[in-house]
Amino acid sequence: MNNKYNKIYDELVDLIQEGKLKPNTKLPSENELRERYQTTRETIRKALHLLSEHGYIQKVQGKGSIILDVTKFDFPISGLVSFKELASKMGQRAKTTVENLDTITPSDYLKEQLKLKKAQKVWEVIRVRDLDDEKVILDKDYFNKKMIPTLTKEVCENSIYEYIEGEMGLAISFAKKEITVEEPTEEDHKYLHIKGYSNIVVVRNYVYLDDASLFQYTESRHRPDKFRFVDFARRK
């Protein structure tokens, strides 16, 4: 029976990923699925629970299960959202791998980005973000070590912002962002599943605490097929 609901889940995932079950449409009802797969309602409910948990469907009261668009996720431009917060919408489909965590002497370029003096050290954090077992984001974070004296691999795997705000008690206030489209670098090819894409979307963040001190510079390098960069604009 356990194998049955897993097989149903796998088959429905394939149909969603292949576009045979369209985003923003209703999944067949429990009764329809029970008849299609000749199984019990309990088995169907277990398969639907997995689909919901992993970010493929959203259960809406009175409407049934709505299929989510799994090809692209909205990445807010104007907000300061951590990958962990974004990943909460993806269920268990998202994963972070820390490729490097080290204290470095910054290059002239990094000194300029972080407005550093000569003697100051920075944390370099290189993380790869997986979605559906594909490596789709390369995050290169640099933190002023004077402001963030301690970082661990566990913190970087979980959420650096959660650590800074929760454990350190600092208030992250605002960021300046720059978005460009660039050719993939050797580093992109090394860490990401490029799949023949000729462009990478690069979001550069300059992040400030509430006292207006710059503590972080980030290059977030995205494979272009997985994310929509969205904002809300109002005409004054």
Side-chain angles (χ1 to χ4, degrees):
M1 189 65 72
N2 285 345
N3 287 336
K4 181 82 172 177
Y5 79 78
N6 277 311
K7 285 180 180 177
I8 294 169
Y9 163 78
D10 289 339
E11 184 173 318
L12 290 171
V13 165
D14 287 343
L15 292 172
I16 292 170
Q17 290 183 336
E18 292 167 6
K20 293 176 182 175
L21 290 172
K22 302 293 184 186
N24 303 313
T25 63
K26 285 173 60 176
L27 196 70
S29 69
E30 287 183 10
N31 283 336
E32 290 172 316
L33 291 170
R34 183 172 56 80
E35 290 178 12
R36 179 187 297 181
Y37 291 105
Q38 292 295 295
T39 189
T40 65
R41 180 166 291 182
E42 181 184 358
T43 299
I44 293 300
R45 285 180 174 171
K46 285 182 178 179
L48 294 181
H49 176 73
L50 281 180
L51 287 171
S52 176
E53 189 179 50
H54 291 193
Y56 290 100
I57 63 171
Q58 175 69 47
K59 293 180 181 178
V60 179
Q61 190 150 7
K63 293 186 178 180
S65 297
I66 305 300
I67 299 163
L68 299 177
D69 186 350
V70 298
T71 59
K72 293 192 177 184
F73 284 89
D74 289 348
F75 210 114
I77 295 170
S78 57
L80 260 175
V81 181
S82 70
F83 184 78
K84 183 179 180 181
E85 291 164 338
L86 181 67
S88 67
K89 301 176 183 178
M90 307 176 190
Q92 296 179 18
R93 297 168 54 200
K95 185 180 75 172
T96 292
T97 303
V98 179
E99 297 288 348
N100 186 56
L101 169 62
D102 203 1
T103 302
I104 65 169
T105 300
S107 63
D108 289 341
Y109 174 80
L110 284 177
K111 284 179 197 170
E112 183 181 346
Q113 305 315 304
L114 281 167
K115 309 301 180 191
L116 295 175
K117 297 176 181 176
K118 276 188 178 181
Q120 288 178 275
K121 297 281 190 176
V122 303
W123 286 107
E124 180 182 62
V125 185
I126 307 296
R127 291 176 292 182
V128 173
R129 318 295 196 169
D130 285 52
L131 183 57
D132 293 330
D133 296 322
E134 289 191 278
K135 300 180 188 301
V136 296
I137 303 176
L138 172 61
D139 276 339
K140 301 166 65 178
D141 295 288
Y142 301 92
F143 297 91
N144 186 332
K145 198 170 189 294
K146 185 177 179 181
M147 299 180 194
I148 314 296
T150 304
L151 276 178
T152 66
K153 184 179 179 182
E154 289 72 26
V155 164
C156 298
E157 285 174 343
N158 180 44
S159 170
I160 296 175
Y161 280 9
E162 193 174 284
Y163 167 73
I164 289 171
E165 294 178 316
E167 297 293 324
M168 296 186 65
L170 298 175
I172 300 170
S173 182
F174 64 94
K176 184 181 82 169
K177 298 191 177 188
E178 299 175 0
I179 300 177
T180 57
V181 177
E182 303 176 7
E183 290 186 6
T185 64
E186 287 186 17
E187 195 174 37
D188 294 326
H189 282 285
K190 175 182 176 182
Y191 287 116
L192 300 179
H193 293 153
I194 298 295
K195 294 178 67 174
Y197 290 101
S198 58
N199 293 307
I200 287 286
V201 180
V202 182
V203 182
R204 292 180 172 86
N205 284 320
Y206 302 81
V207 191
Y208 297 77
L209 299 175
D210 62 351
D211 63 358
S213 56
L214 174 62
F215 77 98
Q216 177 190 9
Y217 167 68
T218 296
E219 284 187 18
S220 192
R221 307 178 68 84
H222 301 73
R223 209 177 75 183
D225 61 316
K226 287 293 183 181
F227 300 94
R228 283 184 294 253
F229 295 88
V230 298
D231 198 1
F232 175 79
R234 187 187 299 278
R235 182 175 171 82
K236 294 182 179 180

PDB file of all heavy atoms in Angstrom, residues 209-224:
ATOM      1  N   LEU A 209      22.265  47.319   7.788  1.00  0.00           N
ATOM      2  CA  LEU A 209      21.580  47.226   9.072  1.00  0.00           C
ATOM      3  C   LEU A 209      20.764  48.498   9.298  1.00  0.00           C
ATOM      4  O   LEU A 209      20.839  49.448   8.515  1.00  0.00           O
ATOM      5  CB  LEU A 209      22.594  47.031  10.200  1.00  0.00           C
ATOM      6  CG  LEU A 209      23.455  45.755  10.116  1.00  0.00           C
ATOM      7  CD1 LEU A 209      24.497  45.755  11.232  1.00  0.00           C
ATOM      8  CD2 LEU A 209      22.594  44.490  10.193  1.00  0.00           C
ATOM      9  N   ASP A 210      20.007  48.519  10.398  1.00  0.00           N
ATOM     10  CA  ASP A 210      19.126  49.664  10.622  1.00  0.00           C
ATOM     11  C   ASP A 210      19.867  50.938  11.001  1.00  0.00           C
ATOM     12  O   ASP A 210      19.283  52.023  11.008  1.00  0.00           O
ATOM     13  CB  ASP A 210      18.051  49.348  11.666  1.00  0.00           C
ATOM     14  CG  ASP A 210      18.624  49.021  13.039  1.00  0.00           C
ATOM     15  OD1 ASP A 210      19.861  48.868  13.154  1.00  0.00           O
ATOM     16  OD2 ASP A 210      17.830  48.910  13.990  1.00  0.00           O
ATOM     17  N   ASP A 211      21.176  50.838  11.296  1.00  0.00           N
ATOM     18  CA  ASP A 211      21.965  52.050  11.527  1.00  0.00           C
ATOM     19  C   ASP A 211      22.637  52.523  10.235  1.00  0.00           C
ATOM     20  O   ASP A 211      23.542  53.362  10.253  1.00  0.00           O
ATOM     21  CB  ASP A 211      23.012  51.827  12.620  1.00  0.00           C
ATOM     22  CG  ASP A 211      24.055  50.765  12.238  1.00  0.00           C
ATOM     23  OD1 ASP A 211      23.936  50.173  11.144  1.00  0.00           O
ATOM     24  OD2 ASP A 211      24.974  50.517  13.038  1.00  0.00           O
ATOM     25  N   ALA A 212      22.177  51.946   9.099  1.00  0.00           N
ATOM     26  CA  ALA A 212      22.655  52.297   7.755  1.00  0.00           C
ATOM     27  C   ALA A 212      24.089  51.847   7.485  1.00  0.00           C
ATOM     28  O   ALA A 212      24.740  52.354   6.565  1.00  0.00           O
ATOM     29  CB  ALA A 212      22.516  53.796   7.487  1.00  0.00           C
ATOM     30  N   SER A 213      24.578  50.877   8.260  1.00  0.00           N
ATOM     31  CA  SER A 213      25.921  50.342   8.003  1.00  0.00           C
ATOM     32  C   SER A 213      25.830  49.160   7.040  1.00  0.00           C
ATOM     33  O   SER A 213      24.998  48.254   7.203  1.00  0.00           O
ATOM     34  CB  SER A 213      26.594  49.925   9.310  1.00  0.00           C
ATOM     35  OG  SER A 213      25.799  48.991  10.013  1.00  0.00           O
ATOM     36  N   LEU A 214      26.685  49.179   6.034  1.00  0.00           N
ATOM     37  CA  LEU A 214      26.727  48.127   5.014  1.00  0.00           C
ATOM     38  C   LEU A 214      27.474  46.919   5.583  1.00  0.00           C
ATOM     39  O   LEU A 214      28.639  47.028   5.953  1.00  0.00           O
ATOM     40  CB  LEU A 214      27.445  48.671   3.774  1.00  0.00           C
ATOM     41  CG  LEU A 214      27.727  47.705   2.622  1.00  0.00           C
ATOM     42  CD1 LEU A 214      26.444  47.159   2.030  1.00  0.00           C
ATOM     43  CD2 LEU A 214      28.557  48.407   1.547  1.00  0.00           C
ATOM     44  N   PHE A 215      26.788  45.780   5.659  1.00  0.00           N
ATOM     45  CA  PHE A 215      27.435  44.610   6.262  1.00  0.00           C
ATOM     46  C   PHE A 215      27.560  43.429   5.302  1.00  0.00           C
ATOM     47  O   PHE A 215      28.299  42.481   5.581  1.00  0.00           O
ATOM     48  CB  PHE A 215      26.673  44.152   7.518  1.00  0.00           C
ATOM     49  CG  PHE A 215      25.400  43.388   7.242  1.00  0.00           C
ATOM     50  CD1 PHE A 215      25.384  42.003   7.265  1.00  0.00           C
ATOM     51  CD2 PHE A 215      24.225  44.053   6.944  1.00  0.00           C
ATOM     52  CE1 PHE A 215      24.225  41.287   7.005  1.00  0.00           C
ATOM     53  CE2 PHE A 215      23.054  43.352   6.687  1.00  0.00           C
ATOM     54  CZ  PHE A 215      23.049  41.967   6.718  1.00  0.00           C
ATOM     55  N   GLN A 216      26.877  43.467   4.151  1.00  0.00           N
ATOM     56  CA  GLN A 216      26.869  42.311   3.252  1.00  0.00           C
ATOM     57  C   GLN A 216      26.855  42.747   1.793  1.00  0.00           C
ATOM     58  O   GLN A 216      26.141  43.675   1.413  1.00  0.00           O
ATOM     59  CB  GLN A 216      25.626  41.452   3.520  1.00  0.00           C
ATOM     60  CG  GLN A 216      25.476  40.265   2.583  1.00  0.00           C
ATOM     61  CD  GLN A 216      24.125  39.578   2.706  1.00  0.00           C
ATOM     62  OE1 GLN A 216      23.225  40.082   3.382  1.00  0.00           O
ATOM     63  NE2 GLN A 216      23.966  38.434   2.074  1.00  0.00           N
ATOM     64  N   TYR A 217      27.662  42.050   1.000  1.00  0.00           N
ATOM     65  CA  TYR A 217      27.590  42.155  -0.454  1.00  0.00           C
ATOM     66  C   TYR A 217      27.376  40.747  -0.989  1.00  0.00           C
ATOM     67  O   TYR A 217      28.042  39.799  -0.574  1.00  0.00           O
ATOM     68  CB  TYR A 217      28.881  42.740  -1.033  1.00  0.00           C
ATOM     69  CG  TYR A 217      28.981  42.580  -2.532  1.00  0.00           C
ATOM     70  CD1 TYR A 217      28.118  43.278  -3.379  1.00  0.00           C
ATOM     71  CD2 TYR A 217      29.908  41.709  -3.101  1.00  0.00           C
ATOM     72  CE1 TYR A 217      28.188  43.116  -4.750  1.00  0.00           C
ATOM     73  CE2 TYR A 217      29.996  41.554  -4.474  1.00  0.00           C
ATOM     74  CZ  TYR A 217      29.134  42.253  -5.302  1.00  0.00           C
ATOM     75  OH  TYR A 217      29.203  42.093  -6.657  1.00  0.00           O
ATOM     76  N   THR A 218      26.413  40.599  -1.891  1.00  0.00           N
ATOM     77  CA  THR A 218      26.050  39.281  -2.420  1.00  0.00           C
ATOM     78  C   THR A 218      25.962  39.310  -3.936  1.00  0.00           C
ATOM     79  O   THR A 218      25.437  40.271  -4.513  1.00  0.00           O
ATOM     80  CB  THR A 218      24.682  38.834  -1.864  1.00  0.00           C
ATOM     81  OG1 THR A 218      24.769  38.674  -0.461  1.00  0.00           O
ATOM     82  CG2 THR A 218      24.248  37.497  -2.471  1.00  0.00           C
ATOM     83  N   GLU A 219      26.460  38.250  -4.556  1.00  0.00           N
ATOM     84  CA  GLU A 219      26.154  37.962  -5.955  1.00  0.00           C
ATOM     85  C   GLU A 219      25.329  36.688  -5.975  1.00  0.00           C
ATOM     86  O   GLU A 219      25.826  35.619  -5.609  1.00  0.00           O
ATOM     87  CB  GLU A 219      27.427  37.757  -6.781  1.00  0.00           C
ATOM     88  CG  GLU A 219      28.151  39.032  -7.128  1.00  0.00           C
ATOM     89  CD  GLU A 219      29.306  38.782  -8.095  1.00  0.00           C
ATOM     90  OE1 GLU A 219      29.321  37.717  -8.744  1.00  0.00           O
ATOM     91  OE2 GLU A 219      30.188  39.643  -8.176  1.00  0.00           O
ATOM     92  N   SER A 220      24.095  36.811  -6.395  1.00  0.00           N
ATOM     93  CA  SER A 220      23.200  35.656  -6.473  1.00  0.00           C
ATOM     94  C   SER A 220      22.970  35.355  -7.952  1.00  0.00           C
ATOM     95  O   SER A 220      22.370  36.164  -8.676  1.00  0.00           O
ATOM     96  CB  SER A 220      21.883  35.989  -5.765  1.00  0.00           C
ATOM     97  OG  SER A 220      21.105  34.842  -5.572  1.00  0.00           O
ATOM     98  N   ARG A 221      23.468  34.199  -8.383  1.00  0.00           N
ATOM     99  CA  ARG A 221      23.523  33.890  -9.812  1.00  0.00           C
ATOM    100  C   ARG A 221      22.492  32.793 -10.119  1.00  0.00           C
ATOM    101  O   ARG A 221      22.597  31.668  -9.644  1.00  0.00           O
ATOM    102  CB  ARG A 221      24.945  33.469 -10.198  1.00  0.00           C
ATOM    103  CG  ARG A 221      25.984  34.500  -9.741  1.00  0.00           C
ATOM    104  CD  ARG A 221      27.400  34.097 -10.061  1.00  0.00           C
ATOM    105  NE  ARG A 221      27.661  34.111 -11.498  1.00  0.00           N
ATOM    106  CZ  ARG A 221      27.997  35.192 -12.190  1.00  0.00           C
ATOM    107  NH1 ARG A 221      28.128  36.374 -11.575  1.00  0.00           N
ATOM    108  NH2 ARG A 221      28.226  35.118 -13.486  1.00  0.00           N
ATOM    109  N   HIS A 222      21.467  33.157 -10.903  1.00  0.00           N
ATOM    110  CA  HIS A 222      20.300  32.306 -11.110  1.00  0.00           C
ATOM    111  C   HIS A 222      20.250  31.740 -12.524  1.00  0.00           C
ATOM    112  O   HIS A 222      20.409  32.482 -13.496  1.00  0.00           O
ATOM    113  CB  HIS A 222      19.003  33.094 -10.899  1.00  0.00           C
ATOM    114  CG  HIS A 222      18.863  33.695  -9.538  1.00  0.00           C
ATOM    115  ND1 HIS A 222      19.601  34.783  -9.133  1.00  0.00           N
ATOM    116  CD2 HIS A 222      18.064  33.357  -8.501  1.00  0.00           C
ATOM    117  CE1 HIS A 222      19.248  35.096  -7.896  1.00  0.00           C
ATOM    118  NE2 HIS A 222      18.332  34.247  -7.493  1.00  0.00           N
ATOM    119  N   ARG A 223      19.967  30.443 -12.618  1.00  0.00           N
ATOM    120  CA  ARG A 223      19.632  29.893 -13.925  1.00  0.00           C
ATOM    121  C   ARG A 223      18.304  30.519 -14.355  1.00  0.00           C
ATOM    122  O   ARG A 223      17.357  30.577 -13.555  1.00  0.00           O
ATOM    123  CB  ARG A 223      19.527  28.367 -13.846  1.00  0.00           C
ATOM    124  CG  ARG A 223      19.877  27.694 -15.158  1.00  0.00           C
ATOM    125  CD  ARG A 223      19.846  26.195 -15.032  1.00  0.00           C
ATOM    126  NE  ARG A 223      18.489  25.677 -14.981  1.00  0.00           N
ATOM    127  CZ  ARG A 223      18.182  24.393 -14.807  1.00  0.00           C
ATOM    128  NH1 ARG A 223      19.147  23.518 -14.645  1.00  0.00           N
ATOM    129  NH2 ARG A 223      16.937  23.989 -14.779  1.00  0.00           N
ATOM    130  N   PRO A 224      18.184  30.958 -15.610  1.00  0.00           N
ATOM    131  CA  PRO A 224      17.062  31.833 -15.974  1.00  0.00           C
ATOM    132  C   PRO A 224      15.700  31.159 -16.100  1.00  0.00           C
ATOM    133  O   PRO A 224      14.687  31.851 -16.158  1.00  0.00           O
ATOM    134  CB  PRO A 224      17.498  32.407 -17.331  1.00  0.00           C
ATOM    135  CG  PRO A 224      18.421  31.379 -17.895  1.00  0.00           C
ATOM    136  CD  PRO A 224      19.147  30.799 -16.716  1.00  0.00           C
TER     137      PRO A 224
END
